[in-house]
Amino acid sequence: MRLSRFFLPVLKETPADAQIVSHRLMLRAGMIRQEAAGIYSWLPLGFRVLKKIEQIVREEQDRAGAVELLMPTLQPADLWRESGRYEDYGKEMLRIVDRHERDLLYGPTNEEMITAIFRSYCRSYKDLPKTLYHIQWKFRDEIRPRFGVMRGREFLMKDSYSFDLDEASARRAYNRMFVAYLNTFARLGLKAVPMRADTGPIGGDLSHEFIILAETGESEVFCDSRLVDMGAPGLDVDFDGDLQPLVDARTSLYAATEEMHEADRFVSEVPEERRLSARGIEVGHIFYFGTKYSAPLGANVTHPDGKDRPVHMGSYGVGVSRLLGAIIEAHHDEAGCIWPESVAPFGIGIINLKPGDADTDAACQSAYEALVKAGKDPLLDDTNERPGGKFATMDLIGVPWQLIIGPRGLKEGKVEIKRRATGERFEASLESVLSQLTAEQTGQ
RNA sequence: CGGGGCGUAGCGCAGCCUGGUAGCGCAUCUGCUUUGGGAGCAGAGGGUCGCAAGUUCGAAUCUUGCCGCCCCGACCA
């Protein structure tokens, strides 16, 4: 992409309304535009990152055996009357009336609908297990939206739903998502820590929030520091195998959010040097809820013994749009965003320091073409802005690598490559820089 | 929903108390000079002062109502 053709409305000044760093940077980098409280347009730069995050989430769901579908944003109220949640949900649910005076709602979640889909096609234990998911916009009419996309009213969410014959099987489905989430967040450049969450009326130990640690996190969390650096199981995990040991290795260590924190247990279970209290952002939540929806909605299957029983379900959410904010909170500096390569809006930025200079233009052009050909998704700054402005913009939007080409360096046969994350710069000939860049694998 | 605050040029703000010509910085446009970390000079364009009613000879400024947005709290992916 050439910057002269792209749509990148960067702001030099910080908008007054933005309180936290990710919100400020997303506005300044021209990634989002607020349309109403908690409702945003995704401008091209932000949209690119959003799509990349979405795709990684999708790939890891697929790898774990989940099957993608797409349910609508609008749902009939009757479905929610069946589960009893139409009345219970309260004002967070956006209710809409159509021209025939039928009650609709903009979905805040999809348990009812997925259960209705399941019940109309699946009758036998032979249809199980199944895990279905979709990535769709949701709306929750939060009393007070804030922090940009971190707590918007409209948000993009991946939600999966598992259907199993019994609790033991449901636990295996739960474990698959547990592991898939660890891999997903790792690929996004995040260290996510699973923390025991409130299971509500169901009870048991099958609910976890996935928290990433960031100074500007919204809630206080407490955990064993070994969890933070434990690393993800890896993409070669056998999802058909026994995942329990992988899950146990993590759930056996203390980790709790403010609401679930037990100070005395923390002290007794975790040696002092490993007691970590930090701030965190919830980016995922997994949940086993048994027959909470299948029973009232009549999602039954016939068991081998010939009897019908409600299926055991779980749901598993990832806040896809929130993840942009979360990743920025975890990866930024004074100058702007620092995207992990896996989600960066562009792979590399090429800065033409002097458009109009024949040698510089030619070098930029050949670099651009070579990088396009290598699939590196370069952004070429071919505008007439001054060098200082170009550096600042490239730093702000957080492209992982900057290839800086100007007449001064070219005179000595050199270009400069800068790594955004560390600020390291190297000088070398254009040829060697390009052969190195086009040779290496896309990082994660 | 309780408490607080803000709506004036695309963005950031002053002006409002004490009513009378709508201003500053950045951005934008034109010209010249500049060009390796957000340039300089000269000039230009751009405003229903959130909306509505009221007071007044006269309202950005005073009064009332409404709308929108932000912050703190209770709630959430």
Side-chain angles (χ1 to χ4, degrees):
Chain A
M1 178 62 63
R2 291 168 190 282
L3 185 54
S4 59
R5 288 188 200 152
F6 197 55
F7 184 76
L8 187 70
V10 299
L11 305 175
K12 220 189 246 186
E13 288 175 274
T14 300
D17 288 346
Q19 225 59 43
I20 63 168
V21 65
S22 62
H23 190 194
R24 281 200 298 269
L25 289 176
M26 288 183 79
L27 290 168
R28 285 198 53 216
M31 302 180 72
I32 53 169
R33 180 184 125 89
Q34 179 168 318
E35 302 296 353
I39 300 178
Y40 295 86
S41 285
W42 292 81
L43 303 180
L45 192 79
F47 189 56
R48 279 179 164 250
V49 179
L50 185 67
K51 285 290 170 191
K52 293 209 169 178
I53 294 172
E54 180 184 336
Q55 184 55 26
I56 288 173
V57 171
R58 173 177 292 117
E59 287 170 13
E60 295 312 315
Q61 287 296 296
D62 293 347
R63 196 190 308 277
V67 180
E68 186 171 16
L69 50 67
L70 183 61
M71 291 175 271
T73 53
L74 295 179
Q75 305 183 27
D78 284 346
L79 199 47
W80 287 65
R81 292 194 174 102
E82 273 191 70
S83 72
R85 283 211 291 182
Y86 191 68
E87 282 70 31
D88 292 350
Y89 217 94
K91 289 188 173 174
E92 270 193 8
M93 182 148 78
L94 181 64
R95 294 150 208 264
I96 298 165
V97 179
D98 73 8
R99 67 195 299 164
H100 302 295
E101 302 281 308
R102 277 193 277 263
D103 293 325
L104 298 172
L105 56 99
Y106 197 120
T109 178
N110 286 69
E111 279 85 4
E112 282 80 359
M113 186 166 282
I114 196 75
T115 305
I117 289 172
F118 180 87
R119 77 177 170 192
S120 60
Y121 303 110
C122 299
R123 288 284 139 73
S124 161
Y125 71 93
K126 293 173 188 168
D127 295 323
L128 298 176
K130 284 277 178 289
T131 297
L132 304 174
Y133 77 98
H134 77 341
I135 300 173
Q136 177 63 290
W137 293 92
K138 305 277 190 295
F139 194 92
R140 288 182 196 170
D141 200 355
E142 297 283 345
I143 295 164
R144 187 152 91 85
R146 57 181 131 174
F147 305 149
V149 299
M150 297 270 283
R151 260 190 58 191
R153 291 194 291 172
E154 189 184 45
F155 56 96
L156 186 63
M157 183 176 172
K158 188 286 301 177
D159 40 327
S160 310
Y161 304 91
S162 63
F163 301 88
D164 284 277
L165 199 61
D166 52 33
E167 186 177 341
S169 173
R171 177 181 284 270
R172 288 192 288 276
Y174 185 93
N175 287 348
R176 285 195 295 275
M177 284 297 132
F178 190 105
V179 169
Y181 276 28
L182 292 171
N183 283 339
T184 301
F185 297 127
R187 282 189 65 190
L188 295 172
L190 297 173
K191 288 178 178 173
V193 179
M195 303 200 175
R196 181 170 295 193
D198 192 1
T199 49
I202 303 290
D205 59 348
L206 288 183
S207 180
H208 287 88
E209 292 180 2
F210 287 75
I211 302 283
I212 69 151
L213 304 181
E215 288 167 29
T216 43
E218 38 187 352
S219 53
E220 197 162 11
V221 298
F222 306 85
C223 70
D224 188 322
S225 61
R226 284 203 298 195
L227 272 170
V228 178
D229 295 307
M230 190 169 274
L235 304 183
D236 54 353
V237 165
D238 176 14
F239 279 97
D240 296 322
D242 183 13
L243 301 175
Q244 198 62 50
L246 286 172
V247 173
D248 288 343
R250 290 162 177 85
T251 55
S252 59
L253 294 172
Y254 188 93
T257 57
E258 229 163 338
E259 311 84 67
M260 298 291 288
H261 183 51
E262 298 163 76
D264 44 340
R265 267 193 59 202
F266 189 43
V267 171
S268 65
E269 291 181 18
V270 186
E272 191 170 1
E273 66 276 10
R274 301 209 316 253
R275 275 177 222 149
L276 179 64
S277 70
R279 303 204 65 83
I281 301 166
E282 183 184 349
V283 289
H285 196 161
I286 63 178
F287 213 96
Y288 164 72
F289 47 69
T291 60
K292 181 177 176 186
Y293 299 97
S294 53
L297 289 163
N300 302 316
V301 293
T302 309
H303 284 228
D305 63 5
K307 292 198 173 122
D308 283 1
R309 298 188 186 88
V311 290
H312 285 251
M313 295 175 56
S315 76
Y316 315 88
V318 170
V320 175
S321 49
R322 161 180 282 197
L323 274 166
L324 267 93
I327 292 171
I328 295 175
E329 293 294 332
H331 301 287
H332 68 272
D333 63 15
E334 294 299 302
C337 310
I338 302 173
W339 293 110
E341 296 199 20
S342 57
V343 299
F346 293 97
I348 180 167
I350 306 167
I351 297 178
N352 182 334
L353 286 171
K354 190 162 187 176
D357 178 81
D359 290 344
T360 308
D361 286 349
C364 287
Q365 182 64 22
S366 71
Y368 180 70
E369 285 169 10
L371 291 165
V372 167
K373 196 180 282 180
K376 293 296 174 184
D377 200 11
L379 174 67
L380 170 60
D381 189 344
D382 56 346
T383 64
N384 281 319
E385 236 205 299
R386 306 168 59 77
K390 293 187 176 188
F391 292 131
T393 297
M394 214 52 97
D395 284 350
L396 175 62
I397 67 175
V399 174
W401 296 93
Q402 297 171 16
L403 179 55
I404 301 159
I405 302 178
R408 207 170 77 188
L410 285 177
K411 242 175 243 167
E412 297 160 33
K414 285 185 174 160
V415 298
E416 190 176 320
I417 183 103
K418 172 180 153 184
R419 185 171 185 184
R420 175 65 180 89
T422 59
E424 299 164 272
R425 301 144 172 274
F426 312 94
E427 281 198 332
S429 73
L430 181 58
E431 292 69 31
S432 71
V433 168
L434 285 180
S435 68
Q436 211 166 325
L437 284 172
T438 55
E440 78 188 25
Q441 292 295 86
T442 306
Q444 281 178 2

